[in-house]
Amino acid sequence: MTYIVTERCASSRYTDCVADCPVDCFYEIKDPHMLIINPDECIDCALCEPECPVEAIFQEDLVPEKWEKFISMNYSFFGQECNG
């Protein structure tokens, strides 16, 4: 299971989470301008989640319903299909 970055990250420009990621699985996308996590590279260490100052990062199965579209967006950005 991976972590998902949600709408709260859009245009926030914070990178605290990136600094703590031991595998560098964060990537910047331009539309919307935000960070996104590569699910193949994420090791589920959870170090990024508490570092996000806007609380935009959730474990995939805990993403609030209003932001579930970010799960498929995350996977499709990397040419993958989500498991759920």
Side-chain angles (χ1 to χ4, degrees):
M1 183 138 340
T2 189
Y3 279 78
I4 304 292
V5 181
T6 62
E7 186 174 50
R8 288 183 177 171
C9 179
S11 300
S12 70
R13 308 230 188 253
Y14 292 106
T15 58
D16 305 50
C17 53
V18 176
D20 283 354
C21 181
V23 294
D24 298 325
C25 64
F26 282 88
Y27 294 83
E28 184 177 358
I29 61 173
K30 298 200 184 292
D31 187 26
H33 187 258
M34 62 185 284
L35 297 171
I36 196 164
I37 296 171
N38 185 327
D40 280 343
E41 296 174 2
C42 179
I43 60 170
D44 306 324
C45 67
L47 292 174
C48 60
E49 187 178 19
E51 296 305 317
C52 180
V54 294
E55 298 178 357
I57 303 173
F58 297 89
Q59 187 174 12
E60 181 178 347
D61 61 348
L62 298 176
V63 172
E65 187 175 333
K66 64 183 175 182
W67 293 319
E68 285 182 348
K69 68 179 182 181
F70 287 90
I71 298 172
S72 60
M73 184 179 93
N74 186 82
Y75 279 91
S76 64
F77 182 79
F78 295 101
Q80 303 170 17
E81 292 185 28
C82 55
N83 301 326

